[in-house]
Amino acid sequence: MIKAGIIGSTGYAGQELVRLLTQHKDAEVVWYGSRSYIDQKYYDVFHNMFQIVDDKCLDDNMDELAEKVDVIFTATPQGLCSSLVSEEVLSKVKIIDLSADFRIKDVNRYEEWYGIKHQSPEFIDEAVYGLCEINRKDVAKARLIANPGCYPTCSTLSIYPMAKEGLIDMNSVIIDAKSGTSGAGRGAKVNNLYCEVNENIKAYGVATHRHTPEIEDQLSYASGEKVLLNFTPHLVPMNRGILVTAYATLKKDVSYEEVKAIYDSYYKDEYFVRVLDKDVCPETRWVEGSNYVDVNFKIDQRTNRIIMMGAMDNLVKGAAGQAVQNMNIMFGLKETEGLELVPMFP
């Protein structure tokens, strides 16, 4: 049985980790970390866990935690994991970091986009970017995982086959994305209040969103060329879900059948990526509460562009579900264990 500790268990992603690991047959949570609720019962924070989780919330002492568990999940704001990780800790335990601390390989770029100093740059090169469908072999050997961001996961998986095959002009890529309010975290913010969000949709982080360099890096690795793109996220009045619509200019004429064959070839063995039927556009409610990503595309012959689409749950495949998927691979378990969740509908 894998013993797991969660630092940041009372955030939305941390709560999802608890939900998923509680029903995992090969793992158990033995440390519910939370600075805000130390010594309070976990079910007093999330009452859906009444008579399911009886433990109290503990602090974020990673050195002590490393002595008690096999894997640590850090579902925390940027900067915390990098301030706690050390060679001594990594010699004892595997870490799956749900923050952005180890996703960007250029430390200067990280500090520029996130506005904080990186506390442990010596581990950046070692950290494996945990997008399982692309880096599975490296994930299996890793002791430190950089769990991908929600927008980058959906964006990359929607575009990856076209970028990898060199069929699109990478300098023409534009990504329009929408997310539910849980993507902004559980902290109290005026902009996320019900009256601010309800019956409203708005763009935010225009030309400055911190997931931009992460997406650019992943598509650069895929295409073999430096990628600069426009990424614009939007906040929509729903609890969870991400919808990505990406646009790019085609380098040559291709048919629907040719592109469909490419997507199928990349994802035919991927349990959690579903390539939809022709003319079916992904919808967030089809993946809600699950670890699935639904992708599809449409060729616009009139403009010589391709529209690539993806939908997923930002808290599951975009955070906790992907982290559990990474854990399964790292410990040699069935990759889908604990994640074979049928999407909620409606």
Side-chain angles (χ1 to χ4, degrees):
M1 183 69 71
I2 298 168
K3 293 185 177 180
I6 304 171
I7 296 178
S9 68
T10 54
Y12 288 136
Q15 179 191 22
E16 282 292 282
L17 276 168
V18 172
R19 180 176 74 90
L20 296 173
L21 291 171
T22 297
Q23 59 192 348
H24 196 295
K25 71 178 183 66
D26 295 313
E28 63 174 334
V29 181
V30 300
W31 185 292
Y32 297 82
S34 174
R35 283 184 174 180
S36 302
Y37 299 97
I38 294 174
D39 289 332
Q40 293 187 42
K41 290 280 191 177
Y42 190 77
Y43 67 72
D44 282 334
V45 182
F46 296 115
H47 286 274
N48 62 316
M49 289 298 168
F50 181 63
Q51 294 186 351
I52 299 174
V53 176
D54 196 48
D55 297 66
K56 288 184 177 181
C57 296
L58 303 170
D59 60 19
D60 55 11
N61 188 330
M62 188 176 281
D63 291 324
E64 181 182 353
L65 180 53
E67 300 286 348
K68 298 183 176 182
V69 300
D70 304 301
V71 60
I72 298 173
F73 297 91
T74 52
T76 57
Q78 276 61 242
L80 183 60
C81 184
S82 65
S83 72
L84 299 175
V85 69
S86 66
E87 180 58 40
E88 183 178 0
V89 168
L90 284 172
S91 69
K92 301 173 183 176
V93 69
K94 298 179 187 294
I95 294 176
I96 301 173
D97 179 28
L98 278 72
S99 81
D101 284 359
F102 299 99
R103 296 175 189 162
I104 299 172
K105 294 302 183 182
D106 184 334
V107 65
N108 294 322
R109 201 163 184 234
Y110 168 87
E111 293 177 349
E112 175 187 353
W113 281 87
Y114 283 88
I116 57 176
K117 183 172 179 59
H118 202 290
Q119 299 299 308
S120 51
E122 65 271 23
F123 296 113
I124 292 177
D125 286 341
E126 175 185 348
V128 173
Y129 189 75
L131 190 52
C132 309
E133 289 74 14
I134 295 173
N135 296 326
R136 184 173 285 108
K137 290 182 180 179
D138 290 334
V139 168
K141 300 178 289 185
R143 59 176 187 167
L144 175 59
I145 293 290
N147 209 61
C150 50
Y151 282 127
T153 295
C154 199
S155 299
T156 302
L157 291 175
S158 300
I159 301 169
Y160 183 81
M162 298 301 288
K164 189 72 174 176
E165 292 296 314
L167 291 176
I168 54 176
D169 179 355
M170 298 306 299
N171 289 322
S172 72
V173 175
I174 297 172
I175 300 173
D176 176 293
K178 281 100 176 161
S179 175
T181 57
S182 59
R186 194 164 177 253
K189 306 178 185 73
V190 171
N191 288 341
N192 294 337
L193 293 174
Y194 178 82
C195 288
E196 306 293 328
V197 175
N198 188 46
E199 297 295 332
N200 188 33
I201 182 170
K202 60 183 177 182
Y204 66 98
V206 179
T208 62
H209 195 278
R210 295 181 297 184
H211 281 175
T212 304
E214 186 180 339
I215 299 170
E216 288 179 341
D217 283 354
Q218 296 310 308
L219 293 181
S220 294
Y221 301 146
S223 63
E225 58 183 278
K226 183 177 176 59
V227 174
L228 292 176
L229 53 78
N230 288 116
F231 168 65
T232 306
H234 301 75
L235 184 66
V236 296
M238 61 186 186
N239 291 340
R240 56 167 82 201
I242 278 184
L243 182 71
V244 162
T245 309
Y247 308 84
T249 299
L250 288 163
K251 286 185 176 180
K252 66 176 186 178
D253 290 337
V254 288
S255 67
Y256 166 82
E257 289 74 18
E258 289 173 320
V259 176
K260 180 65 161 60
I262 290 170
Y263 272 85
D264 286 343
S265 69
Y266 276 86
Y267 295 136
K268 62 180 171 60
D269 296 323
E270 298 298 341
Y271 183 89
F272 293 118
V273 182
R274 305 190 298 189
V275 182
L276 302 181
D277 293 336
K278 186 176 184 180
D279 295 330
V280 177
C281 298
E283 297 186 19
T284 57
R285 65 176 177 166
W286 296 343
V287 292
E288 185 177 357
S290 79
N291 203 52
Y292 288 108
V293 183
D294 284 355
V295 299
N296 213 347
F297 64 92
K298 183 83 173 183
I299 298 170
D300 185 352
Q301 294 179 334
R302 186 179 65 87
T303 60
N304 191 39
R305 296 178 71 83
I306 185 169
I307 300 113
M308 299 156 285
M309 300 164 283
M312 71 176 202
D313 189 313
N314 60 293
L315 293 179
V316 188
K317 182 60 173 172
Q322 184 143 251
V324 172
Q325 190 178 352
N326 276 310
M327 180 196 75
N328 289 341
I329 295 171
M330 295 168 83
F331 286 89
L333 303 177
K334 180 183 176 184
E335 188 170 327
T336 60
E337 177 58 46
L339 297 170
E340 293 172 324
L341 307 168
V342 176
M344 295 183 291
F345 187 88

